[in-house]
Amino acid sequence: MAQFSIYFVRHGQTFFNLYNRMQGWSDSPLTDYGQSTATKVGQALADTHFDAFYSSDSKRAIDTAHLIQRAMGTEAQSLKTLMNFREVFYGYYEGDDSSRTWSLIGHQFGVTSMHELLAHVHIDQTRDLMRELDPWHEAEDNAMYWERINQGFDYLKAHHDHHEKVLVVTHGTTIRSMVARFAPEIDITQGPKNGSVTRIDVDGDQIKVVDYAQDLADVKVNQHL
């Protein structure tokens, strides 16, 4: 049974992050600050040996992963992209103002952000609410979302074992969703910062969240990492 650790890193800040826009399968470039953060993540993890590097196939994640590798001095090590670890697909609401979107999705609760909505519903339910409200009904619902995320875990399980360490650059809501599923006792109302690191250990069918959304200062001193 496969035993290994996954270090999920949220990509660096993008212009859509800065402008508070919905960014799922849509993409926008890393800001200068986002690039700097990715470099600092690589510097903070420089003493950690990773057996493999992955990212979602979104350019913001790929660019973040390359900057991390450059700062670690591991540019020669190949980077594999996995679409399974993309962000949630927001359908009609891709690129929309985030406050406007969440006020529509959570109108019955009078909220304007996912942070506020999570005080009323589980994060899994937010996907079903969004697909239902999407006039094109193309946003991912929870079943669709978890089908591809589970396939991503299956891929990693098939390719890693022996207490290896792998780094995966992915996305904020995806990290929140995994933590909510595998460690429901952890409060995810505060999402992971850009560049934060979340460690998840896999032991066969057992998946354990070791650290959630560790920022750069924590990465440098946290012996778990």
Side-chain angles (χ1 to χ4, degrees):
M1 298 179 71
Q3 293 182 317
F4 60 99
S5 298
I6 311 170
Y7 293 70
F8 286 105
V9 179
R10 187 185 175 196
H11 62 80
Q13 182 196 66
T14 67
F15 283 97
F16 271 17
N17 291 150
L18 183 63
Y19 302 150
N20 194 36
R21 293 196 168 272
M22 301 295 292
Q23 187 174 223
W25 288 11
S26 61
D27 218 344
S28 66
L30 297 179
T31 62
D32 288 345
Y33 178 74
Q35 294 178 49
S36 174
T37 297
T39 296
K40 289 178 180 178
V41 171
Q43 293 169 344
L45 294 175
D47 294 332
T48 303
H49 171 74
F50 289 102
D51 297 281
F53 291 86
Y54 296 91
S55 78
S56 84
D57 59 353
S58 297
K59 190 173 186 299
R60 62 189 184 274
I62 294 170
D63 289 348
T64 298
H66 282 314
L67 287 166
I68 290 172
Q69 286 184 292
R70 183 180 305 166
M72 293 182 69
T74 58
E75 288 179 280
Q77 196 166 342
S78 63
L79 174 72
K80 181 175 179 60
T81 60
L82 294 175
M83 69 79 61
N84 309 89
F85 292 110
R86 283 181 187 176
E87 185 59 288
V88 180
F89 180 50
Y90 297 122
Y92 177 79
Y93 299 104
E94 288 282 339
D96 198 2
D97 178 83
S98 292
S99 296
R100 175 184 178 276
T101 297
W102 291 114
S103 66
L104 291 171
I105 304 303
H107 67 95
Q108 60 183 310
F109 304 109
V111 302
T112 60
S113 68
M114 174 182 272
H115 167 77
E116 295 172 322
L117 183 57
L118 290 178
H120 302 278
V121 301
H122 191 276
I123 194 169
D124 287 350
Q125 191 178 347
T126 65
R127 286 181 275 276
D128 293 335
L129 289 171
M130 188 167 293
R131 184 176 177 86
E132 182 180 350
L133 196 62
D134 181 349
W136 294 81
H137 299 295
E138 290 187 345
E140 276 187 304
D141 63 22
N142 194 53
M144 297 163 64
Y145 173 78
W146 274 106
E147 180 179 5
R148 67 174 173 84
I149 293 294
N150 287 333
Q151 288 172 354
F153 274 101
D154 288 342
Y155 179 91
L156 294 179
K157 288 178 183 179
H159 289 82
H160 297 286
D161 198 357
H162 309 298
H163 302 284
E164 290 181 336
K165 295 179 179 180
V166 301
L167 185 146
V168 180
V169 180
T170 184
H171 307 270
T173 300
T174 290
I175 292 171
R176 272 178 158 176
S177 299
M178 292 187 293
V179 171
R181 171 155 293 198
F182 302 125
E185 72 279 4
I186 293 178
D187 180 9
I188 62 156
T189 54
Q190 292 294 337
K193 296 179 181 178
N194 294 105
S196 63
V197 180
T198 295
R199 175 179 161 183
I200 291 180
D201 284 0
V202 176
D203 184 355
D205 292 331
Q206 300 298 311
I207 298 178
K208 177 183 178 182
V209 177
V210 178
D211 289 295
Y212 171 55
Q214 298 294 304
D215 64 23
L216 290 176
D218 289 330
V219 170
K220 291 178 181 177
V221 302
N222 194 320
Q223 296 304 308
H224 291 303
L225 293 170

